[in-house]
Amino acid sequence: MICPKCQFENPPGSGFCSRCGTQISPSTDIPYSQTETIQQPKEELTIGSTFAGRYQIIEELGRGGMGNVYKVLDKELGEKVALKLLKPEIAADHRIIERFRNEIKFARKITHKNVCRVFDLSKAERTPYITMEYVSGEDLKSTLRRVGPLSEGKAIYIAKQVCEGLIEAHKLGVVHRDLKPQNIMIDKKGYPHIMDFGIARSMKGEGITTSGMMIGTPEYMAPEQVEGKEADQRTDIYAMGVVLYEMVTGTTPFKGDTALSVAIKHTREKPRNPREINDQISVELSRLILKCLEKDKDKRYQSVLELLDVLNRIAEGFPTTDKVLPDKPSTSRALSGKPGLKKIFIPVIAVTALIIAAVLAWRFTPLPEIFGISPSPPEAPSIEDHLNSANQLWKEKEYSKAYDQFKKARDLDPKNFDAQFGLANSLKAQDKLDESIPEYEKAIAIDEKDHRAYGQLGLIYEQKQEWSKALDYYKKYLNTAPQGQDFALVSQKVINIQDQMQPVSAKPEPRPASAEEPKAAQPSKKAPSKKVEAEPVKPEGKRPEKKKPEEKKPDISVKLNEGVNALSRGDFDECIKLMEEVLRLDPGNSSAQFFLAEAKKKKEENRKEQQVKDGLNQAQESFDQGKYQECIDQAKRVLSLDPENAQARRLITQARIRLAPQQAKLLVEQYIQSLNTKNLLRFYERACSPEVYQRLKNQAQAIMATYPNLQATASDINIQFKGVDRAEISFSHIITGTSKDGIRESLFEGIINWGLTREDDAWKITSINAVPKGKK
């Protein structure tokens, strides 16, 4: 039997491929459909082609176990989404598709910043497909392949956010069951997003698998999954442990020649302690990972919230330098010199543009010029060419060669910040700190509002233990950097340095007794001690007041640190409480004032985010119940809070599509009623565009004046939609009227065609065409 995945030939009757572990024959409990032929889409989804009359293909993103994934433009909404076409063997089984549909109903209710939204499961050209939120970036697996193991701080930073997304899913009773680095996208800002909740299932609903059927990826499968047992949130915790293991060691706990052998190891073998592979891992993190990887799920953390609490405690224990501004070019661009993903693709775009230009030149250049013997010399490399080359060399850790390319770019344009900043970074990466300092200063002179050079100089002076200079540059960084995780961490770094410097500046050093100091406590041996008498009070003056000893300010550094930690973990109420306590002790403390304002701002943003989330859930629930107008109203309230919310716009569009046939039919009914009640003029004024109303106004007035009684009917109503905001209606129409003389006449019998355009939630008639009976 041929494996559908790796094409390996297996013995007849094999249930699983002996090479890759893929299931070859379907479970007898879930038979494939015998009534529908498995078919591929009729046409290849090439770049520029349109699928389902709506999705324009931009590029193929990848191929997975469920099917191919494309980045597409949703032409109806004008925004980019991800489109996943399900494989034919999946598409052919109606029961599996129906289960996916039920699961997506749960999964799309997950609204969290660290979860990629699942929008819908539909079908076109006999091919089921899933639409999802598009996240620009790269998956965590690709990041690990590119940069190797992550620092403990970076790994925990990613793990904490993944846990927060899982907590939200588990609240709704949804287990992922296939959590792995390939399903964690890292966006351009460095934030992770969990993908593929579409194959998860509700813990409260009926399972979609049968006994003995494995679902998941062997390297990340919990023992209960391998054995075909029930999966719950502790299954995701096991997978989270494997992901953490891989982030800090660069490898998964178990390896094997086949996927099946790897899966079996999860049930039988004890994982190697990650500290044996990477001794830089703390004992606490190693202990956490191994607890996640317990075979018995009762011995693991029992909830992701419990796991997150432990991660937060570990995060407080390691140095902040491990959490921010690492020198690896793979880290966040906020404080490092890493070339962005966009720049990596610029050479590809440039080459494509050159090819197109060459073709155009060949087609439109006169023959004498094409075959001329004096071709012009090739153009010298541009600044962009040098920058692209430098960024590629940086990626390959060829820092000396990268320096040469950055320097060439800088020489072409001495005011180019990216060239100057990259040159300084290249020196720093070679440990030429003293040489890099003046180059960073030149970058600041080019653009003093760019925060990155301040951050790098702060790191350098911190490394040199020149605390005053480090503090100065970190403060400049905070004055220019955008708000975010790095911002909060540098803020804490500032507080730590201030605390470290405080004993030197705040406490006077004890001075040894000398001849120049008064020696009241030690009487001189040369002269007898005299009793010091108080000076007499002068009647015209005031008694000199004794100076009170300066009151020692209470130590507020502990509360400041605790408040910043509370802010970092999202406990804004605790941060507000601690900062207010600091300000009661030291009203002028600028750090406390800043963090108090920041915590209040974040708390308000959280409140607003919760309102948006609740509003989206209510709108989705209304949509699922067929209450489309309610859905539209609730989604509009979300847009009033978050005008750029794509999910709210999508719900409004989908609800309008579902509501449109009812609205169109109602419009025809209102037209017929207006004729029968002699309100045609008012109907035209309300329902038609201004141009159509002005054209029909006199005709309607004449009909009303000539025929006191009208009778109208409509039948065979046909509606065709030409997109989200355009439609055409046709219907058979009969109008009879009784004149003032009592004579009954047939005024019209035939077909009426209306062209409609949507204006907000209402339809306007923008064209009318009447075709009398017998005419075409």
Side-chain angles (χ1 to χ4, degrees), residues 589-603:
N589 190 290
S590 59
S591 295
Q593 290 170 350
F594 170 80
F595 287 113
L596 176 63
E598 187 70 10
K600 288 182 176 179
K601 175 185 165 189
K602 293 291 185 185
K603 181 179 179 181

Side-chain angles (χ1 to χ4, degrees), residues 650-771:
R650 178 178 293 275
L651 280 169
I652 288 173
T653 300
Q654 292 175 337
R656 282 174 172 171
I657 291 172
R658 300 291 179 89
L659 197 58
Q662 303 172 24
Q663 292 175 320
K665 288 181 180 179
L666 180 62
L667 199 62
V668 174
E669 292 173 3
Q670 291 172 344
Y671 165 68
I672 297 298
Q673 186 179 12
S674 72
L675 278 168
N676 292 335
T677 58
K678 296 192 66 177
N679 286 314
L680 183 60
L681 188 62
R682 186 179 299 174
F683 171 82
Y684 280 153
E685 184 178 13
R686 177 184 59 80
C688 296
S689 65
E691 298 81 5
V692 173
Y693 170 67
Q694 290 299 327
R695 182 163 58 85
L696 298 176
K697 180 178 178 181
N698 294 336
Q699 178 187 347
Q701 287 175 334
I703 291 174
M704 295 296 105
T706 306
Y707 298 97
N709 295 311
L710 292 171
Q711 287 187 343
T713 60
S715 59
D716 301 327
I717 301 173
N718 181 39
I719 304 166
Q720 290 185 340
F721 293 94
K722 306 295 183 181
V724 177
D725 297 323
R726 291 180 58 247
E728 290 180 0
I729 296 180
S730 64
F731 56 93
S732 299
H733 190 26
I734 298 175
I735 308 176
T736 60
T738 303
S739 66
K740 294 178 180 178
D741 300 330
I743 301 173
R744 188 172 184 80
E745 301 178 29
S746 175
L747 303 180
F748 180 83
E749 183 175 357
I751 303 296
I752 298 291
N753 296 305
W754 286 349
L756 302 180
T757 300
R758 186 196 302 279
E759 294 183 7
D760 197 16
D761 288 333
W763 291 92
K764 290 287 184 182
I765 301 172
T766 52
S767 65
I768 296 179
N769 181 32
V771 182

